[in-house]
Amino acid sequence: MKKNAKEAIVKAAILLFNSKGYSGTSVRDIASLAKVNIAGIAYHFENKAGLLEYCFTHFFEQYIQKMEEAYFSIDKGARVCLKQVASDLLQFQCENIHLTSFVYREMSVDSQVVREVMSTYSLKEKYYFQKIFERGFEWNEFRPHSIPYLITQFKALLMMPFLNTHYMREVLYVFPNEAFFVQKYLKDIYFWIDQTLCSEIPIKKGAVIK
Amino acid sequence: MKKNAKEAIVKAAILLFNSKGYSGTSVRDIASLAKVNIAGIAYHFENKAGLLEYCFTHFFEQYIQKMEEAYFSIDKGARVCLKQVASDLLQFQCENIHLTSFVYREMSVDSQVVREVMSTYSLKEKYYFQKIFERGFEWNEFRPHSIPYLITQFKALLMMPFLNTHYMREVLYVFPNEAFFVQKYLKDIYFWIDQTLCSEIPIKKGAVIK
């Protein structure tokens, strides 16, 4: 019974934080949507800030776990591994679209909890990206390039649809919560990996194409 | 004198909206930072919502103007034109980094003002993108692909550094407000245009490379 109340609170908080923003949501709103009393929220999370921290941890613990699991495929090569990361993270974001949208938006605000998230989870994420890119350079799979700029582009492609869900739906008529979207968009990310990241073998002048 | 007060209010509002979030900022905070009294804000903008609307309009009027101007280069080809758009918009975002960060974050919240912005400026932006991509397909400059998915990727690359300025600075040590960043990152966007968007001319078997 208690576990159900906790889940209901988290679910309501994610929905409201996402649609009305963190600051625009009151504990009263969450209690009302979750059909619990305010004391129930205080019991499980202390206050609104506690709920926010729970949402961040809940999101990034799973995110980093996906990343770690995908990293196991590094022995198949950096290209295969990065595609696995793209596939698993895109799927995860799609399955948790409200939480993802809200967490990504809130990550752009300068706050104590965001600093803590960056100093733990973002650094871990960067560590894995670095390992994959360095392996890719070393084995001549990827053309040499600045790792921070590559991370920026890869994360841009991964995050954009979830940071702008209203824009995607209302303007582009693309629905990032649908499985069809994941399939189609993943191909685009794979194409980015293949075309801009993977090193081409330069064709020598005078060579005859076989 | 009055114009200076108005500018000071806007500047203070942008800084505070960006660092503390729109809901986390009070009219009192803005008045205090801008060194004006609250009546001054009421005189120019009515209330906080009026200030928010002003910020959005201020941003998107300039944004669409840049887009329109860059579109004039369409006669030089779709590839040249899209690179001009990338260059002008990246420069504009870099010069207005606080406003850009805040507007992009706030665009992810579902609100009346956001819906109005989308139904005017985002549709205009989409119109120009559509014209450029269609021209690119028609003249065989770009490989055929879904326009909404291309817009998603192009906008992802353009927006990401400004939506995540803390992450860029604290984790990747990349500083999106510097001219150096614009130069370097623009090359990456150009590379995306050249490698993933532009259609390759297939090399015929038996041909000799000159």
Side-chain angles (χ1 to χ4, degrees), chain A residues 141-176:
Chain A
E141 282 188 271
F142 299 160
R143 67 184 173 90
H145 195 61
S146 151
I147 291 180
Y149 280 72
L150 289 178
I151 296 177
T152 302
Q153 291 167 71
F154 185 78
K155 276 177 73 77
L157 295 174
L158 261 187
M159 290 167 79
M160 157 81 188
F162 304 94
L163 262 163
N164 298 279
T165 48
H166 302 300
Y167 170 80
M168 298 291 290
R169 285 196 189 107
E170 308 290 328
V171 181
L172 301 183
Y173 313 123
V174 170
F175 300 88

Side-chain angles (χ1 to χ4, degrees), chain A residues 30 32 37 67 75 108 120 155 161-162 175 187 190 193 207:
Chain A
I30 299 168
S32 164
N37 57 43
M67 187 104 200
D75 290 335
S108 72
T120 50
K155 276 177 73 77
F162 304 94
F175 300 88
K187 280 188 196 161
Y190 285 179
I193 294 173

Side-chain angles (χ1 to χ4, degrees), chain A residues 105 108 126 145 153 171 188, chain B residues 105 108 126 145 171 188 206:
Chain A
R105 184 204 307 144
S108 72
K126 186 187 173 189
H145 195 61
Q153 291 167 71
V171 181
D188 285 349
Chain B
R105 184 204 308 143
S108 72
K126 186 188 174 189
H145 195 61
V171 181
D188 285 349

